[in-house]
Amino acid sequence: MAQTAQVIVDVATRQTDQPYDYAIPETLADQVEPGVRVIVPFGRRKLQGFVVGLSDTAAFDGKLKAIEQVLDLTPVLDPELLALSKWVATTTFSFWIATMQTMLPAAMRAKYDRTLTWTADEKPADGWGQALFRHARTVPYPDTLTAAQTRQLRAWVKADQLTVDYIVHNRAKAKTQKAVKLAPGKALTSAAAPKNAKAQQKLLTGLQTKPFTGVLTQPVAAARYGVSVATVRLAEKAGWLQSTTVNIRRNPLAIRPERDQPKRLTADQQQAADQFVAAVAAKTPQTFLLEGVTGSGKTEVYLQTIQAALDDGRTALMLVPEIALTPQMVHRVLARFGDAVAVLHSGLSDGEKFDEWRRIQRGEARIVVGARSAVFAPLANIGVIIIDEEHETSYKQDEAPRYHARNVALHRAKTFHCPVILGSATPSLESRARAEKGVYTLVRLPERINDRPLPPVHIIDMRKNSGARVQPDFSPELVAALENTLAKHEQSVLLLNRRGYSAQAMCRNCGWIARCPNCDISLTVHRAARKLVCHYCGHEEPIPTRCPVCNSDKIRFFGTGTEKVEDTLQKILPTARILRMDADSTRKKGGHARILNAFGKGQADILLGTQMIAKGLDFPTVTLVGVINADTALGMPDFRASERTFQLLTQVAGRAGRGSKPGSVIIQTYNPDHYAIQLAARQDYEGFFRREMRLRHQGKYPPYYYTVLLTISAPSETVTAQESYRIAGDLKPLLSQTAIVLGPTPRSITRINNRYYYQILVKFKKEPALGRGLHNLLTNSQALLKNKVQVAIDFEPQQIM
Ligand code: ADP
Ligand code: ZN
Ligand code: ZN
């Protein structure tokens, strides 16, 4: 029997990022297993930790401290996820504890009570168990348990007779709805209500002729008897009905769409699906890159592949960029698979996420659809992993642990021997290059469904859009097209490319610009709220009426914010109904879905929005797509600027003409000859890929080189600079001749929230010693600790500022 357990404690520092040995007391002997959480003494504190391993002999002979308490009856991380957490920590240079915490729902970190629920039909026949569940099936988790009792609980859990539930304080109250049941022994004759109270009489008659058993929610009861909810409430007051509540499962999307049936695949779709299904059946961990133009029917192929995995008794994991932005995709998965689907994304409350996580862990949900972190869903026996829009940057977490969901998916696929399907109309250069080398299998869907043509794209040169009477943001061509679409009662989508762009407040007298006191960045004007806001640290202040420098009252706003464009647009098209979709208008929970719903129902003529409107929308009624400023992202100091611009324009252009009516696209730009814009207009992904690859080759950038970004920060700029140079100096001897070290340089926004940031970018082909080297460099550095210096390591960063 094991004598010691290796425990990772919940302290995220480099110094504590290693397993510590603890003795296992006799009483806990059969409860301690890898993946359970425990309480251990650590220094003078008591800490939570995860058991990550067991061994027979102590690592040293001295007296070991002992585990004090075991928190879980069954492991919260199974062996696969435990091993995965270690792998993620190593490959992303993050702390092991941080990756384990990332994998678990936040509710498990909150304060909670535990309950025991007896789920088997027959209650325990005798002894302690009988006493425990005598009065109720759900009881609080007992405060003190003997080892034998804990053993008994574990046996029941293993035999599916008992569940342990976590009731999270404040965060995750069970959701209830008001409901009614029949009052026992109450005579329901028409005399019970006044003769002239028609609605009450109707309800009485209904209750007599069509009584119900059990419990109905108030609205359901009202609908059943054709009366209002108010009448149902009156009936409660009168005592014919008793009021009660029902628990409802928190349903993330609060919709259960009508079930749909698999479609007959087109020939192209069929040959794609055949390959995927064959790989599922053969259990080959093969990676496919499904390159399909927008509207080519990728989703149907995903759904049929998922079905094949289910038919084989396995489960499926499907990642989408951000569910709030892709409700239509989630809808389609729910429509096909109903309650077998669990949905995980950042818009859920902690309680909702926890509910879904438990359904997955218990095997009740066999399909998981989710954003980035759903890649850690506790699915067993995965049969296929799908990553839709695989090029999206949101798959990379930009804070620790800095993992890329694609890499994690590939790793899990190896463990489960299952295929991975990466789908996109505009694959990342990294993935497309791997397909070129034969590492991934390239599968293409070159045609749109029903041969719907791709819409014609007009590029408008905004350099010619000058003169006194024209609007700066709207060319005459775009205005004419909008008017035309409006006149035909069709819908338009307008994209305002906000990357690197925002509305600022400036004094026209002296040139003063409102800036954040904590960061090196100007403040953004939020007109509706009459505030200036820093988008980096959250600082807010009122919009000044006078310039703080020269006291002039000539404060003007410049730059194009969505609100300002909306104003202008409304002036140009006074009768148009405009919906705006941006970070402000969607802040409330479900905001995206509400706006998209309204637009889908035809409650507006124009949907004006930022990047978020480009994704996954499938509205057959949209015939015009306009891009107000195609090139704001081109000026960003990032080698992916062209790739991002190409992807965005291709995606948004694909939104037009998805129904029976033909569509058209207008792109306004100051760089009409730029290849990213030209090729996006032609929807020529392959052309873009070849051209961009040449440039990346010349510039020694990914996918030809790997990159690691070190970001060094401290409250003092001098310290930041000194430490950055010291680290760069220590790093160079570890690298081979072929590696390239850029920097240190101050980040383009050097100060954020009163910390200074410097960066070092390492480009390399193969550096086996780099990982260990970086690790040692940072773990053993007292100087870093003493000077409050933080170093973040980002392997394959998606944003380089
Ligand atoms: P993508 O995901 O590649 O952009 P979609 O899956 O959204 O494409 O498909 C575009 C449209 O074509 C959708 O409305 C979808 O319902 C429809 N569709 C897909 N496959 C078929 C098929 N085999 N037969 C008929 N309609 C299809
Ligand atoms: Zn001024
Ligand atoms: Zn700030």
Side-chain angles (χ1 to χ4, degrees):
M1 176 154 295
Q3 298 164 341
T4 51
Q6 285 77 55
V7 175
I8 291 282
V9 293
D10 192 358
V11 182
T13 64
R14 280 188 208 284
Q15 287 68 33
T16 53
D17 187 28
Q18 54 174 308
Y20 290 89
D21 279 317
Y22 283 91
I24 303 172
E26 196 62 40
T27 50
L28 299 179
D30 54 0
Q31 296 175 47
V32 176
E33 55 181 313
V36 297
R37 292 170 303 160
V38 291
I39 301 288
V40 291
F42 191 80
R44 263 172 286 159
R45 291 182 288 171
K46 298 239 192 307
L47 293 177
Q48 212 189 82
F50 288 81
V51 175
V52 296
L54 301 175
S55 57
D56 286 338
T57 45
F60 60 98
D61 287 338
K63 261 197 281 162
L64 280 184
K65 288 184 181 168
I67 291 176
E68 294 205 343
Q69 201 186 332
V70 181
L71 295 175
D72 304 301
L73 289 181
T74 49
V76 290
L77 292 172
D78 68 15
E80 187 252 339
L81 289 175
L82 195 56
L84 185 68
S85 69
K86 171 76 178 158
W87 179 83
V88 172
T90 311
T91 53
T92 66
F93 303 94
S94 39
F95 308 130
W96 196 354
I97 186 71
T99 59
M100 287 191 277
Q101 299 286 27
T102 298
M103 287 182 171
L104 294 174
M108 296 195 97
R109 267 171 280 161
K111 247 176 101 73
Y112 53 79
D113 285 332
R114 286 180 296 172
T115 59
L116 296 174
T117 299
W118 188 261
T119 54
D121 290 340
E122 296 286 315
K123 284 194 189 176
D126 51 32
W128 168 74
Q130 188 193 32
L132 192 61
F133 295 108
R134 178 176 298 141
H135 300 297
R137 277 181 175 271
T138 298
V139 298
Y141 198 102
D143 283 336
T144 50
L145 288 173
T146 65
Q149 287 167 343
T150 309
R151 206 170 301 134
Q152 179 67 71
L153 290 182
R154 282 159 51 85
W156 284 331
V157 170
K158 285 224 165 88
D160 278 336
Q161 293 174 301
L162 178 74
T163 62
V164 185
D165 291 289
Y166 298 80
I167 312 291
V168 183
H169 294 301
N170 305 328
R171 300 211 190 183
K173 289 202 202 90
K175 239 196 175 147
T176 60
Q177 210 175 339
K178 284 189 179 152
V180 291
K181 55 186 179 187
L182 287 180
K186 195 84 184 174
L188 294 175
T189 61
S190 61
K195 275 258 162 339
N196 56 357
K198 279 216 185 100
Q200 291 181 53
Q201 288 296 347
K202 187 174 177 188
L203 178 56
L204 274 171
T205 315
L207 289 171
Q208 287 164 53
T209 54
K210 221 170 80 173
F212 65 94
T213 51
V215 172
L216 296 180
T217 62
Q218 286 182 351
V220 170
R224 180 182 169 99
Y225 298 110
V227 297
S228 67
V229 169
T231 307
V232 173
R233 289 208 196 105
L234 273 178
E236 281 175 28
K237 280 222 185 86
W240 334 322
L241 292 175
Q242 277 183 351
S243 63
T244 176
T245 55
V246 286
N247 282 331
I248 48 177
R249 181 164 77 82
R250 288 170 287 233
N251 177 348
L253 293 168
I255 31 155
R256 286 287 153 196
E258 300 249 320
R259 290 298 278 265
D260 81 346
Q261 294 301 318
K263 295 186 172 62
R264 259 186 76 103
L265 298 181
T266 63
D268 280 342
Q269 283 177 318
Q270 190 66 56
Q271 59 92 19
D274 286 348
Q275 295 186 60
F276 303 159
V277 171
V280 172
K283 298 201 172 191
T284 33
Q286 191 175 355
T287 306
F288 295 95
L289 178 62
L290 179 62
E291 182 188 320
V293 296
T294 49
S296 58
K298 294 186 287 296
T299 309
E300 186 62 32
V301 178
Y302 301 151
L303 296 178
Q304 299 204 12
T305 309
I306 291 174
Q307 185 65 56
L310 297 188
D311 292 345
D312 198 29
R314 292 190 280 160
T315 63
L317 174 59
M318 174 162 177
L319 302 182
V320 293
E322 175 50 65
I323 291 194
L325 307 183
T326 49
Q328 291 178 326
M329 172 63 90
V330 178
H331 221 84
R332 284 163 76 177
V333 182
L334 286 170
R336 189 64 56 85
F337 300 108
D339 275 339
V341 183
V343 182
L344 292 173
H345 67 97
S346 58
L348 301 181
S349 71
D350 287 345
E352 290 167 333
K353 267 187 224 159
F354 184 60
D355 284 357
E356 293 297 89
W357 188 85
R358 295 283 292 174
R359 288 180 62 228
I360 302 163
Q361 209 196 25
R362 288 181 181 144
E364 291 165 18
R366 295 175 58 212
I367 303 160
V368 173
V369 185
R372 180 180 61 230
S373 65
V375 76
F376 298 118
L379 281 169
N381 204 7
I382 298 176
V384 65
I385 304 178
I386 294 162
I387 305 186
D388 190 35
E389 309 287 2
E390 69 90 31
H391 63 277
E392 279 291 330
T393 41
S394 66
Y395 286 125
K396 175 76 191 278
Q397 178 152 299
D398 55 14
E399 56 191 47
R402 294 180 171 78
Y403 67 94
H404 198 302
R406 191 200 299 133
N407 295 341
V408 179
L410 294 177
H411 192 79
R412 289 193 85 179
K414 254 190 246 158
T415 312
F416 285 105
H417 301 285
C418 74
V420 175
I421 305 170
L422 308 173
S424 177
T426 54
S428 63
L429 258 69
E430 284 85 348
S431 292
R432 183 63 185 79
R434 264 170 223 157
E436 194 84 350
K437 284 172 102 180
V439 182
Y440 301 165
T441 308
L442 183 63
V443 179
R444 295 184 63 192
L445 295 177
E447 310 286 343
R448 274 187 153 187
I449 293 289
N450 295 336
D451 293 326
R452 275 170 212 145
L454 282 164
V457 179
H458 308 281
I459 297 177
I460 308 296
D461 185 350
M462 292 299 276
R463 292 171 305 189
K464 301 195 178 119
N465 191 50
S466 55
R469 314 218 84 228
V470 294
Q471 295 286 348
D473 297 323
F474 291 93
S475 61
E477 292 89 342
L478 180 56
V479 173
L482 285 166
E483 283 171 341
N484 192 12
T485 310
L486 193 59
K488 286 192 289 185
H489 302 289
E490 292 170 5
Q491 290 180 301
S492 308
V493 166
L494 274 183
L495 172 82
L496 182 70
N497 193 350
R498 276 286 294 273
R499 218 182 273 272
Y501 219 71
S502 63
Q504 300 172 330
M506 184 179 85
C507 168
R508 284 225 302 207
N509 190 41
C510 75
W512 168 84
I513 290 177
R515 302 184 73 86
C516 177
N518 309 319
C519 313
D520 290 339
I521 189 88
S522 53
L523 294 168
T524 300
V525 177
H526 287 236
R527 292 217 228 178
R530 295 168 191 284
K531 275 186 313 206
L532 297 171
V533 179
C534 172
H535 284 187
Y536 286 83
C537 73
H539 170 85
E540 289 185 2
E541 56 187 68
I543 298 175
T545 48
R546 288 191 170 274
C547 171
V549 177
C550 73
N551 207 32
S552 144
D553 61 358
K554 292 207 171 58
I555 303 288
R556 292 290 177 270
F557 305 139
F558 74 100
T560 305
T562 29
E563 291 177 42
K564 187 177 153 209
V565 173
E566 187 185 6
D567 286 353
T568 314
L569 188 60
Q570 195 70 78
K571 284 195 194 104
I572 301 173
L573 301 170
T575 62
R577 296 165 303 164
I578 304 168
L579 268 176
R580 179 166 57 90
M581 182 150 139
D582 58 14
D584 282 336
S585 69
T586 55
R587 204 184 312 268
K588 272 212 216 98
K589 199 179 159 193
H592 294 98
R594 239 179 304 114
I595 293 173
L596 293 178
N597 249 327
F599 190 64
K601 286 196 198 129
Q603 291 168 11
D605 306 304
I606 301 173
L607 178 62
L608 165 70
T610 51
Q611 268 76 347
M612 55 179 73
I613 63 169
K615 285 168 199 155
L617 304 187
D618 186 6
F619 291 123
T621 48
V622 172
T623 53
L624 174 67
V625 168
V627 180
I628 292 173
N629 51 345
D631 27 26
T632 44
L634 281 179
M636 300 283 284
D638 188 325
F639 69 87
R640 288 195 181 86
S642 297
E643 187 181 359
R644 300 263 182 271
T645 301
F646 175 83
Q647 285 163 346
L648 179 65
L649 295 180
T650 310
Q651 294 286 335
V652 72
R655 302 296 133 221
R658 287 171 83 90
S660 48
K661 295 180 196 135
S664 68
V665 179
I666 292 183
I667 294 178
Q668 300 186 149
T669 171
Y670 290 91
N671 296 283
D673 301 322
H674 194 285
Y675 66 99
I677 291 175
Q678 286 284 340
L679 292 165
R682 278 183 251 143
Q683 304 257 320
D684 182 1
Y685 174 78
E686 288 294 317
F688 176 79
F689 172 68
R690 311 253 159 247
R691 172 116 194 204
E692 185 70 14
M693 284 293 274
R694 278 204 301 279
L695 295 174
R696 300 283 180 91
H697 185 70
Q698 283 163 14
K700 296 194 160 81
Y701 277 111
Y704 291 98
Y705 276 72
Y706 292 109
T707 52
V708 163
L709 185 70
L710 275 68
T711 303
I712 299 103
S713 76
S716 140
E717 183 159 17
T718 320
V719 171
T720 309
Q722 275 169 0
E723 287 302 310
S724 300
Y725 279 99
R726 194 181 58 77
I727 289 172
D730 289 352
L731 198 58
K732 280 173 191 157
L734 300 173
L735 300 168
S736 73
Q737 292 294 311
T738 54
I740 301 159
V741 178
L742 300 178
T745 47
R747 196 159 75 174
S748 66
I749 301 167
T750 308
R751 187 180 53 128
I752 289 179
N753 224 354
N754 292 320
R755 289 185 74 88
Y756 293 82
Y757 291 82
Y758 275 51
Q759 295 188 324
I760 302 169
L761 183 69
V762 185
K763 301 198 283 185
F764 64 97
K765 289 231 178 225
K766 205 171 165 201
E767 297 294 334
L770 180 59
R772 268 264 51 91
L774 277 174
H775 186 82
N776 292 341
L777 212 72
L778 300 174
T779 311
N780 304 327
S781 173
Q782 290 306 312
L784 295 182
L785 262 186
K786 201 178 76 214
N787 290 316
K788 298 201 171 97
V789 180
Q790 286 171 5
V791 183
I793 305 180
D794 194 349
F795 177 63
E796 294 288 72
Q798 290 295 307
Q799 319 277 3
I800 298 178
M801 293 203 290

